[in-house]
């Protein structure tokens, strides 16, 4: 995939340079598993990549036993990371900005500090919005808690982000902060924090590959995060079951995240000042005819309980949020009964838009 990956001793990976993880005992696998749901029975015509197929995406990555693949941090990465640190006081609703502005759309649970959510899960449509080196576009979910100026956040999904990855492919990413995006946290493993355990799939996995054995491009993948009941670490998975745990964010690095009080699903499109805004999703605005095959989408939106039970997102109130113009980006959320569930996944959202010069 064009990256340089190093095989690092799993016990000596960058996460353990974090001062709060000095005495952390690595968790090699989750101690608690989610109730398995056979999503393929709901929609067998989908080209969602299963956990087994995801494990095949990078089977050519071979690290010795006891090591994990870590994407090598380059000089460009260090410059990018340092610019983020310098700009952390200049941000809104998400990532620190490097003299940038950004648009976002999302659907979310109404915030209430009494809410207790222990995970989030959804099937993400995989698209290829074009972004220049001065732009980025994401499809993601957020799990958050804490006062606004001390927000603790875990964010994951896929992004086209040339400045972060060096190309225009849709790639997996993770982001975390424990102080409202000021002094803690980073993308992927650009700072100590995330613990990698999967032996072939690091952050930055390219998602426009073909599904092994089918010859078809990956069009849809489940992403999910769940707090392990015993360790209270926040595990990150790909696939429609819990057989592909990639790694986790340790509980020690957070200050207000014993559980999440806010869950969000949506996207961000950003660009440097005076640069046109990039497309989000697949670049097409959602419309009331709800043509999921035409626009960007997520479906099977779920919230996870402490014991691993799943609750469909939207069984209580859903709030729509946006920081954009409706002719630039938009989002529509809907729930469906049994008649349309096979196509739409009970609940789903279509979102995105073309961006452009008028969206600056």
């Amino acid at each position: 995939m064009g990256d340089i990956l190093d095989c690092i001793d799993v016990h000596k990976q960058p996460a353990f340079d974090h001062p709060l993880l000095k005495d952390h005992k690595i968790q090699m696998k989750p101690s608690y598993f989610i109730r398995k749901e056979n999503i393929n029975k709901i929609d067998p015509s989908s080209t969602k990549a299963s956990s087994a197929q995801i494990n095949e995406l990078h089977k050519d990555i071979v690290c010795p036993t006891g090591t994990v693949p870590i994407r090598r941090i380059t000089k460009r990465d260090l410059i990018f990371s340092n610019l983020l640190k310098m700009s952390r006081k200049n941000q809104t609703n998400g990532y620190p900005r490097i003299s940038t502005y950004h648009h976002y759309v999302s659907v979310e649970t109404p915030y209430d500090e009494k809410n207790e959510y222990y995970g989030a899960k959804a099937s993400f449509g995989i698209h290829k919005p074009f972004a220049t080196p001065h732009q980025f576009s994401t499809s993601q979910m957020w799990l958050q808690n804490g006062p606004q100026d001390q927000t603790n956040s875990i964010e994951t999904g896929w992004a086209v982000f040339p400045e972060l990855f060096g190309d225009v492919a849709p790639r997996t990413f993770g982001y975390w902060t424990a102080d409202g995006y000021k002094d803690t946290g980073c993308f992927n493993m650009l700072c100590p924090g995330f613990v990698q355990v999967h032996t072939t799939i690091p952050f930055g996995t390219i998602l426009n590959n073909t599904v092994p054995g089918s010859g078809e491009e990956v069009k849809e993948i489940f992403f999910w995060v769940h707090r392990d009941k015993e360790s209270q670490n926040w595990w990150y998975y790909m696939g429609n079951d819990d057989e592909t745990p990639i790694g986790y964010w340790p509980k020690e690095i957070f200050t207000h995240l014993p559980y999440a009080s806010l869950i969000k699903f949506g996207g961000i499109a950003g660009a440097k000042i005076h640069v046109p805004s990039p497309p989000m999703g697949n670049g097409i605005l959602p419309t009331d005819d709800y043509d999921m095959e035409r626009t960007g989408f997520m479906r099977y939106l779920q919230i996870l309980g402490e014991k691993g039970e799943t609750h469909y997102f939207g069984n209580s109130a859903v709030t729509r949020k946006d920081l954009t113009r409706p002719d630039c980006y938009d989002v529509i959320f809907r729930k469906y009964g049994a008649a349309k569930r096979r196509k739409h996944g009970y609940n789903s959202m279509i979102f995105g838009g073309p961006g452009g010069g008028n969206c600056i």
Side-chain angles (χ1 to χ4, degrees):
M1 60 183 177
D3 301 323
I4 299 176
L5 296 173
D6 295 312
C7 295
I8 305 296
D9 187 311
V10 67
H11 297 283
K12 297 179 180 179
Q13 59 182 292
F16 301 114
D17 292 334
H18 195 296
L20 295 177
L21 300 180
K22 181 179 179 181
D23 299 318
H24 179 80
K25 183 178 180 181
I26 191 169
Q27 185 180 11
M28 293 304 299
K29 61 181 181 179
S31 60
Y32 192 79
F33 294 94
I34 306 303
R35 181 188 310 154
K36 186 172 182 178
E37 294 181 287
N38 191 346
I39 302 298
N40 288 330
K41 288 184 178 179
I42 300 175
D43 187 2
S45 65
S46 171
T47 56
K48 290 184 296 296
S50 69
S51 294
Q53 291 168 327
I54 289 168
N55 280 322
E56 290 287 309
L57 284 177
H58 293 293
K59 64 180 181 180
D60 56 325
I61 298 175
V62 179
C63 282
T65 301
T67 67
V68 291
I70 305 292
R71 190 170 180 263
R72 184 176 296 179
I73 296 177
T74 65
K75 181 178 180 180
R76 177 181 59 80
D77 294 327
L78 291 174
I79 293 172
F80 174 76
S81 183
N82 287 334
L83 287 172
L84 284 182
K85 290 179 181 178
M86 293 170 59
S87 67
R88 274 177 165 147
K89 292 183 180 180
N90 183 26
Q91 50 78 34
T92 58
N93 193 61
Y95 310 133
R97 301 179 294 171
I98 313 170
S99 299
T100 68
Y101 65 92
H102 64 242
H103 301 259
Y104 82 96
V105 297
S106 67
V107 294
E108 55 192 70
T109 58
Y111 177 75
D112 187 332
E113 61 184 13
K114 296 180 181 179
N115 292 336
E116 294 187 14
Y117 306 126
Y118 294 88
K121 179 179 181 181
S123 187
F124 288 53
I126 307 301
H127 308 288
K128 304 174 187 177
F130 179 77
T132 72
H134 303 300
Q135 302 171 323
F136 70 91
S137 183
T138 78
S139 178
Q140 65 175 88
M141 60 186 179
W142 296 255
L143 299 91
Q144 298 182 330
N145 204 347
Q148 184 172 357
D149 63 342
Q150 302 172 44
T151 296
N152 283 214
S153 186
I154 293 174
E155 304 164 28
T156 192
W158 61 261
V160 174
F161 204 150
E163 195 166 18
L164 176 62
F165 293 117
D167 60 24
V168 294
R171 292 174 177 257
T172 61
F173 79 93
Y175 188 91
W176 70 275
T177 182
D179 63 355
Y181 305 92
K182 295 191 289 291
D183 297 314
T184 65
C186 61
F187 282 100
N188 302 344
M189 301 182 78
L190 292 181
C191 68
F194 183 80
V195 178
Q196 174 82 25
V197 300
H198 200 282
T199 58
T200 64
I201 302 177
F203 278 128
T205 294
I206 295 177
L207 295 177
N208 60 352
N209 291 339
T210 56
V211 176
S214 72
E216 296 185 15
E217 284 193 343
V218 174
K219 295 182 180 180
E220 189 173 354
I221 288 181
F222 272 93
F223 290 97
W224 47 302
V225 174
H226 179 246
R227 198 204 72 167
D228 185 87
K229 185 178 180 181
E230 293 186 11
S231 69
Q232 298 183 29
N233 298 322
W234 290 89
W235 278 84
Y236 160 59
Y237 301 79
M238 293 171 62
N240 62 351
D241 54 43
D242 54 16
E243 296 178 5
T244 315
I246 310 300
Y248 63 90
W249 290 273
K251 67 176 182 179
E252 293 93 331
I253 65 176
F254 298 108
T255 57
H256 295 282
L257 208 59
Y259 48 80
S261 290
L262 178 64
I263 302 293
K264 302 193 290 187
F265 298 94
I268 297 176
K272 291 188 176 180
I273 301 299
H274 307 307
V275 174
S277 186
M280 182 193 298
N282 69 349
I284 298 175
L285 281 168
T287 56
D288 287 337
D289 61 1
Y290 212 80
D291 187 350
M292 187 178 290
E293 296 179 355
R294 184 173 179 269
T295 188
F297 70 92
M298 295 183 203
R299 56 179 176 165
Y300 309 113
L301 277 61
Q302 297 175 71
I303 293 171
L304 304 178
E306 185 177 16
K307 297 179 181 180
E309 68 274 21
T310 57
H311 306 278
Y312 274 106
F313 180 82
N315 285 346
S316 58
V318 170
T319 301
R320 168 183 157 167
K321 297 285 187 178
D322 58 71
L323 181 65
T324 187
R325 288 172 36 168
D327 58 336
C328 296
Y329 312 100
D330 204 355
V331 59
I332 300 174
F333 171 81
R334 287 187 181 172
K335 292 171 58 177
Y336 286 93
K340 293 186 177 181
R341 194 172 299 179
R342 292 173 67 88
K343 179 177 181 180
H344 296 291
Y346 183 73
N347 66 2
S348 59
M349 55 181 278
I350 54 176
F351 73 104
N358 293 331
C359 305
I360 294 177

